Amino acid sequence: LAYPLTRDCGGSTGLDRIVRVSSFPEGVRSIKCAAAKDSGGREARARAVAGREVLTGAAFTGAGGVTQYRRFASVQGSLSRGSTIARSAPTSATAVPPDSSLDAADAALLKSTSAEATATSAGASAGEAAESAEPPKSPLRVVSPMAFGEPEAVRVTGEVSLSDDERHLFSTLREIVAHYGLGTQLRVAGGWVRDKLIGHDCIDIDIALDNMLGRQFAEKVTEYLKDRGETVRGVGVIQKNPEQSKHLETATMMIHGIWIDLVNLRAEEYTHDSRIPTAIEFGTAEEDALRRDLTINSMFYNITTEHVEDPTGRGISDLKGGIIRTPLPPHQTFLDDPLRVLRAVRFAARFGFSLDEELRSAAASEEVRAALGNKVSKERIGKEVELMLKSRDPYAAIALIVDLNLFPTVFPLPHAPSHTADVPPDDELPGLCEASFAATCTRLHQWKKHLPQALNDHSSDLTVGLLLASLLLPLRHAHYLDKKKKDVPFAQHIVLDSLKLKRAYADMAVRGDNVVLLHAAAEDFAAIAPLLVAAASAGGDAAAAAAAAAAAGGGGETRALTLISAPHEEFQGNARVLAGKLLRKVKACWPSAVLLASTLPPISHAASGEQCMGKAEEQRERKEEDRKGEEGEEGCKRRRMEGSEGGAVEDGGCGSCHHDQSEFYLKVLQAVHVMGLDGVWDTKPILNGRDVVAALALGKGDSRTGYWMDRVMEWQLAHSGNGSIEECMAWLKAQAQAVGGDVKKL
């Protein structure tokens, strides 16, 4: 099922959503999708033809004029011959159009499949669908096109294939149990079993013991290996730390070059106001499995019997069916430990699985949302969010958080009585943040070949910083006063206080990959983008670029920039000076800032936007007149609707009258390289501070030194590194003499 392009009201941003089926069940010939949008670009309708069935749904339109093309459905269950394929309702639905409104390919497919083809609304009952559905042969997988590659392949073999090293390890452990007559059943638990069942390797080997503590068994292992002359390394005991989700003492050690954790099977009891169990006792394998988060994580590999154990009876079937489910009723499971809600979201996104309907209802309940906010530490929530952002499909995780109404709980705003008015309404904010996040993920795919390797690494800090910045972009102008009357951006508060993430993501004083700096840099790049594109077209000639921008109606003026001071009047409108100064602030994060700028609303943040808009209107009118003569009025209308100019609708565009935001900002990336500015942040000034102080007869510690050093770098940037020290010194003295040393006159 493929979601085609849809655009916002400005017609500038397109988002693709794709749902793929890893392999078609018997009887399903094809899954196809078409789209339609109204004249405002606000509505999209998708039609899927699969075997004998048709599924349709309308796009969800959020407040603020932003179309969010939400997941059409959490495709749960199976597709099989004769069964209904509408599994759960989308955000909104429309009746299936008559055959006359289907495109030719859809109609042909329907006709060739069966004359009895039935149409069902996307809002059809999931329960009715389940009654007629046959068991799936392979899991249906929901994958967004914003994923960084395919989700982890899930082909459940039902068997565990051991490596030679794992066989050696498990054989040694069995020998130790027999040698000391311990009678211990050794079981590998959790994620290792899940990954092995789908054919993946896993280095996290957690071994559960049924009759002793991990520390006690580790002592036996050490004694046994030392008696045989083997070196024992890394033996340690991690004390329980309930605040950090370590509810049991865990022994860790390396055997034959493999790290293992040893812990006893347990049963737990919880109170209503804490996710930390009040009682932990030795338990059976079944009790241990039932207290785990998800059925797919509740299986064991019994080292003693060399068989997989599925105490819940649903672990393997859910893994095969692509279902995220809890071993016990989800409502109570989540109240016991609300962090499991976010783990369910993370694993659903990781594997492209669907949430069980009962789990989905429980996760979205007000009681569970309250428990997540009250019982789970900010650090633990932040860690889960960071893991989601570092996954292959971070958008899928964010979409689920929004769908489950968890966004205000996971990303809480500061409780500040005094703040700016630039805060979107509570009911609009999650959708706006999701749309911004989706736009950035889409752009990362579109620009993959043009970005540095760090941004193509989905787990890098650089990428996580960009994703955080994009998610919180709708809050970029929102600030509040803290208790010390200090102005604090909302985005910084969410990253540092609500999620307790790394300071580098939010603090402007640490590194470039942080949300506050990226927000400011994105708007600054949007402001100077027309100059940079003109510079790229002029082969890097800054003077020619300024003239070209002025001729195009953009002028050489820009709004006041946030991160850099206004350059000397001689360098006003000089693309190389402006870009160079900005890059020296943002450093290696500049591609992230440009990418983020490409997702901002067009024109409003571009240089001389009103002038450029007027110029754009004139150009459109001239094109319309030219086309009328060639194609007639109907041809012009058709072109406007199809957005044939550069792939965007006619009323889109950006500050330099380019209609395609993506292509326009790719030229901004190109401009930095054409002007030779990549790495300019490492360039040393042609004159150092001592030279400037001596030349201008400034006193030690004179506050004007910084101002003149800034002018030195501007001169250096304007001359593309070709000017001499003597020329720069002469220019500097002339400027100082002109104002008599009074920098306020400049």
Side-chain angles (χ1 to χ4, degrees), residues 318-351:
D318 285 347
L319 197 59
K320 289 181 177 179
I323 300 295
I324 297 296
R325 194 194 321 265
T326 54
L328 294 174
H331 189 79
Q332 188 59 48
T333 297
F334 292 155
L335 290 181
D336 285 345
D337 185 354
L339 187 66
R340 291 167 176 168
V341 175
L342 298 185
R343 287 178 57 82
V345 167
R346 177 160 62 86
F347 280 108
R350 174 181 173 182
F351 293 115

PDB file of all heavy atoms in Angstrom, residues 318-351:
ATOM      1  N   ASP A 318       3.187 -14.365  17.856  1.00  0.00           N
ATOM      2  CA  ASP A 318       3.180 -12.908  17.683  1.00  0.00           C
ATOM      3  C   ASP A 318       4.374 -12.446  16.859  1.00  0.00           C
ATOM      4  O   ASP A 318       4.271 -11.489  16.081  1.00  0.00           O
ATOM      5  CB  ASP A 318       3.181 -12.211  19.041  1.00  0.00           C
ATOM      6  CG  ASP A 318       1.820 -12.271  19.727  1.00  0.00           C
ATOM      7  OD1 ASP A 318       0.834 -12.627  19.047  1.00  0.00           O
ATOM      8  OD2 ASP A 318       1.737 -11.968  20.932  1.00  0.00           O
ATOM      9  N   LEU A 319       5.485 -13.122  17.011  1.00  0.00           N
ATOM     10  CA  LEU A 319       6.655 -12.793  16.202  1.00  0.00           C
ATOM     11  C   LEU A 319       6.365 -13.102  14.736  1.00  0.00           C
ATOM     12  O   LEU A 319       6.711 -12.328  13.834  1.00  0.00           O
ATOM     13  CB  LEU A 319       7.869 -13.586  16.697  1.00  0.00           C
ATOM     14  CG  LEU A 319       9.257 -13.111  16.251  1.00  0.00           C
ATOM     15  CD1 LEU A 319       9.515 -11.677  16.682  1.00  0.00           C
ATOM     16  CD2 LEU A 319      10.340 -14.037  16.815  1.00  0.00           C
ATOM     17  N   LYS A 320       5.715 -14.218  14.481  1.00  0.00           N
ATOM     18  CA  LYS A 320       5.346 -14.570  13.109  1.00  0.00           C
ATOM     19  C   LYS A 320       4.260 -13.643  12.563  1.00  0.00           C
ATOM     20  O   LYS A 320       4.266 -13.291  11.384  1.00  0.00           O
ATOM     21  CB  LYS A 320       4.852 -16.021  13.053  1.00  0.00           C
ATOM     22  CG  LYS A 320       5.936 -17.064  13.246  1.00  0.00           C
ATOM     23  CD  LYS A 320       5.355 -18.472  13.145  1.00  0.00           C
ATOM     24  CE  LYS A 320       6.452 -19.529  13.253  1.00  0.00           C
ATOM     25  NZ  LYS A 320       5.895 -20.909  13.173  1.00  0.00           N
ATOM     26  N   GLY A 321       3.322 -13.268  13.415  1.00  0.00           N
ATOM     27  CA  GLY A 321       2.202 -12.453  12.955  1.00  0.00           C
ATOM     28  C   GLY A 321       2.470 -10.965  12.941  1.00  0.00           C
ATOM     29  O   GLY A 321       1.641 -10.187  12.475  1.00  0.00           O
ATOM     30  N   GLY A 322       3.627 -10.564  13.467  1.00  0.00           N
ATOM     31  CA  GLY A 322       3.950  -9.143  13.470  1.00  0.00           C
ATOM     32  C   GLY A 322       3.096  -8.350  14.434  1.00  0.00           C
ATOM     33  O   GLY A 322       2.629  -7.261  14.108  1.00  0.00           O
ATOM     34  N   ILE A 323       2.879  -8.879  15.632  1.00  0.00           N
ATOM     35  CA  ILE A 323       2.015  -8.238  16.615  1.00  0.00           C
ATOM     36  C   ILE A 323       2.816  -7.888  17.868  1.00  0.00           C
ATOM     37  O   ILE A 323       3.585  -8.698  18.373  1.00  0.00           O
ATOM     38  CB  ILE A 323       0.844  -9.162  17.018  1.00  0.00           C
ATOM     39  CG1 ILE A 323       0.000  -9.514  15.792  1.00  0.00           C
ATOM     40  CG2 ILE A 323      -0.016  -8.498  18.093  1.00  0.00           C
ATOM     41  CD1 ILE A 323      -0.703  -8.342  15.169  1.00  0.00           C
ATOM     42  N   ILE A 324       2.627  -6.661  18.338  1.00  0.00           N
ATOM     43  CA  ILE A 324       3.193  -6.248  19.619  1.00  0.00           C
ATOM     44  C   ILE A 324       2.106  -6.399  20.670  1.00  0.00           C
ATOM     45  O   ILE A 324       1.066  -5.737  20.608  1.00  0.00           O
ATOM     46  CB  ILE A 324       3.690  -4.790  19.558  1.00  0.00           C
ATOM     47  CG1 ILE A 324       4.821  -4.651  18.542  1.00  0.00           C
ATOM     48  CG2 ILE A 324       4.143  -4.324  20.930  1.00  0.00           C
ATOM     49  CD1 ILE A 324       6.076  -5.430  18.873  1.00  0.00           C
ATOM     50  N   ARG A 325       2.344  -7.311  21.638  1.00  0.00           N
ATOM     51  CA  ARG A 325       1.332  -7.642  22.638  1.00  0.00           C
ATOM     52  C   ARG A 325       2.019  -7.845  23.989  1.00  0.00           C
ATOM     53  O   ARG A 325       3.194  -8.220  24.045  1.00  0.00           O
ATOM     54  CB  ARG A 325       0.601  -8.925  22.206  1.00  0.00           C
ATOM     55  CG  ARG A 325      -0.683  -9.205  22.951  1.00  0.00           C
ATOM     56  CD  ARG A 325      -1.170 -10.632  22.728  1.00  0.00           C
ATOM     57  NE  ARG A 325      -0.994 -11.151  21.384  1.00  0.00           N
ATOM     58  CZ  ARG A 325      -1.923 -11.127  20.429  1.00  0.00           C
ATOM     59  NH1 ARG A 325      -3.096 -10.568  20.668  1.00  0.00           N
ATOM     60  NH2 ARG A 325      -1.680 -11.654  19.242  1.00  0.00           N
ATOM     61  N   THR A 326       1.307  -7.626  25.057  1.00  0.00           N
ATOM     62  CA  THR A 326       1.855  -7.867  26.392  1.00  0.00           C
ATOM     63  C   THR A 326       1.453  -9.261  26.868  1.00  0.00           C
ATOM     64  O   THR A 326       0.387  -9.769  26.500  1.00  0.00           O
ATOM     65  CB  THR A 326       1.333  -6.826  27.395  1.00  0.00           C
ATOM     66  OG1 THR A 326      -0.100  -6.808  27.360  1.00  0.00           O
ATOM     67  CG2 THR A 326       1.857  -5.442  27.035  1.00  0.00           C
ATOM     68  N   PRO A 327       2.289  -9.906  27.703  1.00  0.00           N
ATOM     69  CA  PRO A 327       1.933 -11.246  28.198  1.00  0.00           C
ATOM     70  C   PRO A 327       0.664 -11.246  29.046  1.00  0.00           C
ATOM     71  O   PRO A 327      -0.151 -12.156  28.945  1.00  0.00           O
ATOM     72  CB  PRO A 327       3.158 -11.636  29.037  1.00  0.00           C
ATOM     73  CG  PRO A 327       4.277 -10.804  28.505  1.00  0.00           C
ATOM     74  CD  PRO A 327       3.643  -9.511  28.109  1.00  0.00           C
ATOM     75  N   LEU A 328       0.501 -10.241  29.893  1.00  0.00           N
ATOM     76  CA  LEU A 328      -0.688 -10.100  30.721  1.00  0.00           C
ATOM     77  C   LEU A 328      -1.548  -8.964  30.163  1.00  0.00           C
ATOM     78  O   LEU A 328      -1.114  -8.251  29.264  1.00  0.00           O
ATOM     79  CB  LEU A 328      -0.278  -9.805  32.171  1.00  0.00           C
ATOM     80  CG  LEU A 328       0.468 -10.946  32.893  1.00  0.00           C
ATOM     81  CD1 LEU A 328       0.946 -10.476  34.264  1.00  0.00           C
ATOM     82  CD2 LEU A 328      -0.403 -12.190  33.018  1.00  0.00           C
ATOM     83  N   PRO A 329      -2.763  -8.771  30.652  1.00  0.00           N
ATOM     84  CA  PRO A 329      -3.592  -7.669  30.155  1.00  0.00           C
ATOM     85  C   PRO A 329      -2.805  -6.358  30.151  1.00  0.00           C
ATOM     86  O   PRO A 329      -2.188  -5.987  31.162  1.00  0.00           O
ATOM     87  CB  PRO A 329      -4.760  -7.645  31.146  1.00  0.00           C
ATOM     88  CG  PRO A 329      -4.891  -9.069  31.586  1.00  0.00           C
ATOM     89  CD  PRO A 329      -3.492  -9.592  31.650  1.00  0.00           C
ATOM     90  N   PRO A 330      -2.814  -5.652  29.042  1.00  0.00           N
ATOM     91  CA  PRO A 330      -1.919  -4.496  28.893  1.00  0.00           C
ATOM     92  C   PRO A 330      -2.186  -3.358  29.870  1.00  0.00           C
ATOM     93  O   PRO A 330      -1.251  -2.675  30.285  1.00  0.00           O
ATOM     94  CB  PRO A 330      -2.156  -4.057  27.447  1.00  0.00           C
ATOM     95  CG  PRO A 330      -3.487  -4.616  27.071  1.00  0.00           C
ATOM     96  CD  PRO A 330      -3.610  -5.891  27.824  1.00  0.00           C
ATOM     97  N   HIS A 331      -3.441  -3.154  30.238  1.00  0.00           N
ATOM     98  CA  HIS A 331      -3.730  -2.031  31.125  1.00  0.00           C
ATOM     99  C   HIS A 331      -2.978  -2.182  32.441  1.00  0.00           C
ATOM    100  O   HIS A 331      -2.303  -1.244  32.901  1.00  0.00           O
ATOM    101  CB  HIS A 331      -5.235  -1.928  31.374  1.00  0.00           C
ATOM    102  CG  HIS A 331      -5.652  -0.684  32.095  1.00  0.00           C
ATOM    103  ND1 HIS A 331      -5.784   0.532  31.462  1.00  0.00           N
ATOM    104  CD2 HIS A 331      -5.950  -0.461  33.401  1.00  0.00           C
ATOM    105  CE1 HIS A 331      -6.145   1.454  32.334  1.00  0.00           C
ATOM    106  NE2 HIS A 331      -6.258   0.870  33.518  1.00  0.00           N
ATOM    107  N   GLN A 332      -3.069  -3.356  33.060  1.00  0.00           N
ATOM    108  CA  GLN A 332      -2.387  -3.581  34.328  1.00  0.00           C
ATOM    109  C   GLN A 332      -0.876  -3.655  34.122  1.00  0.00           C
ATOM    110  O   GLN A 332      -0.101  -3.173  34.953  1.00  0.00           O
ATOM    111  CB  GLN A 332      -2.893  -4.870  34.987  1.00  0.00           C
ATOM    112  CG  GLN A 332      -2.358  -5.068  36.393  1.00  0.00           C
ATOM    113  CD  GLN A 332      -2.728  -3.909  37.323  1.00  0.00           C
ATOM    114  OE1 GLN A 332      -3.880  -3.484  37.368  1.00  0.00           O
ATOM    115  NE2 GLN A 332      -1.745  -3.384  38.054  1.00  0.00           N
ATOM    116  N   THR A 333      -0.458  -4.245  32.992  1.00  0.00           N
ATOM    117  CA  THR A 333       0.971  -4.322  32.692  1.00  0.00           C
ATOM    118  C   THR A 333       1.584  -2.930  32.617  1.00  0.00           C
ATOM    119  O   THR A 333       2.672  -2.681  33.157  1.00  0.00           O
ATOM    120  CB  THR A 333       1.194  -5.050  31.353  1.00  0.00           C
ATOM    121  OG1 THR A 333       0.721  -6.402  31.469  1.00  0.00           O
ATOM    122  CG2 THR A 333       2.665  -5.074  30.980  1.00  0.00           C
ATOM    123  N   PHE A 334       0.896  -1.993  31.966  1.00  0.00           N
ATOM    124  CA  PHE A 334       1.413  -0.637  31.820  1.00  0.00           C
ATOM    125  C   PHE A 334       1.326   0.146  33.130  1.00  0.00           C
ATOM    126  O   PHE A 334       2.178   0.998  33.402  1.00  0.00           O
ATOM    127  CB  PHE A 334       0.663   0.103  30.719  1.00  0.00           C
ATOM    128  CG  PHE A 334       0.925  -0.439  29.342  1.00  0.00           C
ATOM    129  CD1 PHE A 334      -0.002  -0.272  28.321  1.00  0.00           C
ATOM    130  CD2 PHE A 334       2.099  -1.122  29.057  1.00  0.00           C
ATOM    131  CE1 PHE A 334       0.236  -0.759  27.050  1.00  0.00           C
ATOM    132  CE2 PHE A 334       2.349  -1.612  27.790  1.00  0.00           C
ATOM    133  CZ  PHE A 334       1.416  -1.439  26.786  1.00  0.00           C
ATOM    134  N   LEU A 335       0.304  -0.132  33.933  1.00  0.00           N
ATOM    135  CA  LEU A 335       0.228   0.552  35.222  1.00  0.00           C
ATOM    136  C   LEU A 335       1.338   0.072  36.151  1.00  0.00           C
ATOM    137  O   LEU A 335       1.869   0.855  36.953  1.00  0.00           O
ATOM    138  CB  LEU A 335      -1.143   0.322  35.868  1.00  0.00           C
ATOM    139  CG  LEU A 335      -2.333   1.020  35.201  1.00  0.00           C
ATOM    140  CD1 LEU A 335      -3.614   0.724  35.952  1.00  0.00           C
ATOM    141  CD2 LEU A 335      -2.107   2.525  35.115  1.00  0.00           C
ATOM    142  N   ASP A 336       1.688  -1.217  36.060  1.00  0.00           N
ATOM    143  CA  ASP A 336       2.797  -1.736  36.862  1.00  0.00           C
ATOM    144  C   ASP A 336       4.105  -1.049  36.485  1.00  0.00           C
ATOM    145  O   ASP A 336       4.877  -0.645  37.353  1.00  0.00           O
ATOM    146  CB  ASP A 336       2.944  -3.246  36.662  1.00  0.00           C
ATOM    147  CG  ASP A 336       1.870  -4.036  37.390  1.00  0.00           C
ATOM    148  OD1 ASP A 336       1.203  -3.453  38.261  1.00  0.00           O
ATOM    149  OD2 ASP A 336       1.698  -5.224  37.078  1.00  0.00           O
ATOM    150  N   ASP A 337       4.362  -0.921  35.204  1.00  0.00           N
ATOM    151  CA  ASP A 337       5.577  -0.258  34.718  1.00  0.00           C
ATOM    152  C   ASP A 337       5.238   0.489  33.433  1.00  0.00           C
ATOM    153  O   ASP A 337       5.301  -0.061  32.337  1.00  0.00           O
ATOM    154  CB  ASP A 337       6.686  -1.281  34.467  1.00  0.00           C
ATOM    155  CG  ASP A 337       7.997  -0.615  34.082  1.00  0.00           C
ATOM    156  OD1 ASP A 337       8.009   0.622  33.909  1.00  0.00           O
ATOM    157  OD2 ASP A 337       9.009  -1.321  33.951  1.00  0.00           O
ATOM    158  N   PRO A 338       4.868   1.757  33.528  1.00  0.00           N
ATOM    159  CA  PRO A 338       4.417   2.514  32.350  1.00  0.00           C
ATOM    160  C   PRO A 338       5.494   2.684  31.273  1.00  0.00           C
ATOM    161  O   PRO A 338       5.156   2.988  30.129  1.00  0.00           O
ATOM    162  CB  PRO A 338       4.030   3.886  32.940  1.00  0.00           C
ATOM    163  CG  PRO A 338       3.772   3.631  34.388  1.00  0.00           C
ATOM    164  CD  PRO A 338       4.726   2.544  34.770  1.00  0.00           C
ATOM    165  N   LEU A 339       6.759   2.495  31.632  1.00  0.00           N
ATOM    166  CA  LEU A 339       7.805   2.611  30.618  1.00  0.00           C
ATOM    167  C   LEU A 339       7.600   1.581  29.507  1.00  0.00           C
ATOM    168  O   LEU A 339       8.056   1.763  28.379  1.00  0.00           O
ATOM    169  CB  LEU A 339       9.185   2.421  31.248  1.00  0.00           C
ATOM    170  CG  LEU A 339      10.386   2.694  30.327  1.00  0.00           C
ATOM    171  CD1 LEU A 339      10.453   4.166  29.949  1.00  0.00           C
ATOM    172  CD2 LEU A 339      11.687   2.255  30.986  1.00  0.00           C
ATOM    173  N   ARG A 340       6.894   0.508  29.802  1.00  0.00           N
ATOM    174  CA  ARG A 340       6.640  -0.535  28.807  1.00  0.00           C
ATOM    175  C   ARG A 340       5.838  -0.002  27.622  1.00  0.00           C
ATOM    176  O   ARG A 340       5.907  -0.564  26.524  1.00  0.00           O
ATOM    177  CB  ARG A 340       5.906  -1.708  29.467  1.00  0.00           C
ATOM    178  CG  ARG A 340       6.776  -2.475  30.459  1.00  0.00           C
ATOM    179  CD  ARG A 340       5.964  -3.421  31.327  1.00  0.00           C
ATOM    180  NE  ARG A 340       6.814  -4.215  32.201  1.00  0.00           N
ATOM    181  CZ  ARG A 340       6.374  -4.943  33.217  1.00  0.00           C
ATOM    182  NH1 ARG A 340       5.061  -4.970  33.483  1.00  0.00           N
ATOM    183  NH2 ARG A 340       7.206  -5.645  33.958  1.00  0.00           N
ATOM    184  N   VAL A 341       5.079   1.057  27.836  1.00  0.00           N
ATOM    185  CA  VAL A 341       4.350   1.676  26.721  1.00  0.00           C
ATOM    186  C   VAL A 341       5.335   2.140  25.659  1.00  0.00           C
ATOM    187  O   VAL A 341       5.163   1.874  24.459  1.00  0.00           O
ATOM    188  CB  VAL A 341       3.503   2.863  27.209  1.00  0.00           C
ATOM    189  CG1 VAL A 341       2.850   3.566  26.029  1.00  0.00           C
ATOM    190  CG2 VAL A 341       2.449   2.401  28.195  1.00  0.00           C
ATOM    191  N   LEU A 342       6.385   2.832  26.077  1.00  0.00           N
ATOM    192  CA  LEU A 342       7.368   3.349  25.123  1.00  0.00           C
ATOM    193  C   LEU A 342       8.202   2.227  24.526  1.00  0.00           C
ATOM    194  O   LEU A 342       8.623   2.309  23.368  1.00  0.00           O
ATOM    195  CB  LEU A 342       8.268   4.374  25.813  1.00  0.00           C
ATOM    196  CG  LEU A 342       7.559   5.619  26.345  1.00  0.00           C
ATOM    197  CD1 LEU A 342       8.569   6.625  26.887  1.00  0.00           C
ATOM    198  CD2 LEU A 342       6.710   6.258  25.263  1.00  0.00           C
ATOM    199  N   ARG A 343       8.441   1.174  25.282  1.00  0.00           N
ATOM    200  CA  ARG A 343       9.150   0.021  24.724  1.00  0.00           C
ATOM    201  C   ARG A 343       8.302  -0.654  23.638  1.00  0.00           C
ATOM    202  O   ARG A 343       8.828  -1.094  22.616  1.00  0.00           O
ATOM    203  CB  ARG A 343       9.512  -0.978  25.827  1.00  0.00           C
ATOM    204  CG  ARG A 343      10.642  -0.495  26.720  1.00  0.00           C
ATOM    205  CD  ARG A 343      10.956  -1.478  27.833  1.00  0.00           C
ATOM    206  NE  ARG A 343      11.291  -2.804  27.344  1.00  0.00           N
ATOM    207  CZ  ARG A 343      12.495  -3.164  26.903  1.00  0.00           C
ATOM    208  NH1 ARG A 343      13.476  -2.272  26.861  1.00  0.00           N
ATOM    209  NH2 ARG A 343      12.727  -4.402  26.502  1.00  0.00           N
ATOM    210  N   ALA A 344       7.003  -0.717  23.863  1.00  0.00           N
ATOM    211  CA  ALA A 344       6.113  -1.280  22.842  1.00  0.00           C
ATOM    212  C   ALA A 344       6.171  -0.455  21.570  1.00  0.00           C
ATOM    213  O   ALA A 344       6.241  -0.988  20.455  1.00  0.00           O
ATOM    214  CB  ALA A 344       4.679  -1.351  23.370  1.00  0.00           C
ATOM    215  N   VAL A 345       6.165   0.871  21.716  1.00  0.00           N
ATOM    216  CA  VAL A 345       6.270   1.762  20.557  1.00  0.00           C
ATOM    217  C   VAL A 345       7.598   1.555  19.840  1.00  0.00           C
ATOM    218  O   VAL A 345       7.658   1.465  18.608  1.00  0.00           O
ATOM    219  CB  VAL A 345       6.123   3.228  21.001  1.00  0.00           C
ATOM    220  CG1 VAL A 345       6.532   4.181  19.888  1.00  0.00           C
ATOM    221  CG2 VAL A 345       4.692   3.512  21.437  1.00  0.00           C
ATOM    222  N   ARG A 346       8.678   1.465  20.603  1.00  0.00           N
ATOM    223  CA  ARG A 346      10.009   1.336  19.998  1.00  0.00           C
ATOM    224  C   ARG A 346      10.144   0.029  19.224  1.00  0.00           C
ATOM    225  O   ARG A 346      10.675   0.012  18.108  1.00  0.00           O
ATOM    226  CB  ARG A 346      11.087   1.422  21.083  1.00  0.00           C
ATOM    227  CG  ARG A 346      12.499   1.226  20.552  1.00  0.00           C
ATOM    228  CD  ARG A 346      13.518   1.786  21.514  1.00  0.00           C
ATOM    229  NE  ARG A 346      13.503   1.136  22.802  1.00  0.00           N
ATOM    230  CZ  ARG A 346      14.184   0.014  23.096  1.00  0.00           C
ATOM    231  NH1 ARG A 346      14.898  -0.590  22.155  1.00  0.00           N
ATOM    232  NH2 ARG A 346      14.147  -0.503  24.310  1.00  0.00           N
ATOM    233  N   PHE A 347       9.665  -1.068  19.779  1.00  0.00           N
ATOM    234  CA  PHE A 347       9.784  -2.346  19.070  1.00  0.00           C
ATOM    235  C   PHE A 347       8.844  -2.407  17.868  1.00  0.00           C
ATOM    236  O   PHE A 347       9.169  -3.021  16.857  1.00  0.00           O
ATOM    237  CB  PHE A 347       9.527  -3.515  20.025  1.00  0.00           C
ATOM    238  CG  PHE A 347      10.715  -3.856  20.887  1.00  0.00           C
ATOM    239  CD1 PHE A 347      10.723  -3.556  22.234  1.00  0.00           C
ATOM    240  CD2 PHE A 347      11.834  -4.458  20.334  1.00  0.00           C
ATOM    241  CE1 PHE A 347      11.822  -3.850  23.028  1.00  0.00           C
ATOM    242  CE2 PHE A 347      12.939  -4.765  21.119  1.00  0.00           C
ATOM    243  CZ  PHE A 347      12.929  -4.452  22.471  1.00  0.00           C
ATOM    244  N   ALA A 348       7.679  -1.774  17.974  1.00  0.00           N
ATOM    245  CA  ALA A 348       6.781  -1.732  16.818  1.00  0.00           C
ATOM    246  C   ALA A 348       7.450  -0.999  15.663  1.00  0.00           C
ATOM    247  O   ALA A 348       7.379  -1.430  14.500  1.00  0.00           O
ATOM    248  CB  ALA A 348       5.472  -1.043  17.191  1.00  0.00           C
ATOM    249  N   ALA A 349       8.120   0.107  15.965  1.00  0.00           N
ATOM    250  CA  ALA A 349       8.817   0.865  14.923  1.00  0.00           C
ATOM    251  C   ALA A 349      10.033   0.110  14.403  1.00  0.00           C
ATOM    252  O   ALA A 349      10.312   0.112  13.200  1.00  0.00           O
ATOM    253  CB  ALA A 349       9.232   2.228  15.472  1.00  0.00           C
ATOM    254  N   ARG A 350      10.740  -0.537  15.296  1.00  0.00           N
ATOM    255  CA  ARG A 350      11.962  -1.258  14.900  1.00  0.00           C
ATOM    256  C   ARG A 350      11.667  -2.373  13.911  1.00  0.00           C
ATOM    257  O   ARG A 350      12.367  -2.535  12.910  1.00  0.00           O
ATOM    258  CB  ARG A 350      12.644  -1.830  16.150  1.00  0.00           C
ATOM    259  CG  ARG A 350      13.841  -2.727  15.849  1.00  0.00           C
ATOM    260  CD  ARG A 350      14.443  -3.281  17.119  1.00  0.00           C
ATOM    261  NE  ARG A 350      15.471  -4.268  16.837  1.00  0.00           N
ATOM    262  CZ  ARG A 350      16.136  -4.946  17.759  1.00  0.00           C
ATOM    263  NH1 ARG A 350      15.881  -4.729  19.046  1.00  0.00           N
ATOM    264  NH2 ARG A 350      17.051  -5.852  17.425  1.00  0.00           N
ATOM    265  N   PHE A 351      10.615  -3.150  14.189  1.00  0.00           N
ATOM    266  CA  PHE A 351      10.312  -4.295  13.336  1.00  0.00           C
ATOM    267  C   PHE A 351       9.200  -4.024  12.325  1.00  0.00           C
ATOM    268  O   PHE A 351       8.916  -4.876  11.489  1.00  0.00           O
ATOM    269  CB  PHE A 351       9.915  -5.496  14.194  1.00  0.00           C
ATOM    270  CG  PHE A 351      11.031  -6.043  15.047  1.00  0.00           C
ATOM    271  CD1 PHE A 351      10.961  -5.989  16.425  1.00  0.00           C
ATOM    272  CD2 PHE A 351      12.160  -6.591  14.468  1.00  0.00           C
ATOM    273  CE1 PHE A 351      11.983  -6.481  17.219  1.00  0.00           C
ATOM    274  CE2 PHE A 351      13.191  -7.094  15.247  1.00  0.00           C
ATOM    275  CZ  PHE A 351      13.104  -7.035  16.626  1.00  0.00           C
TER     276      PHE A 351
END
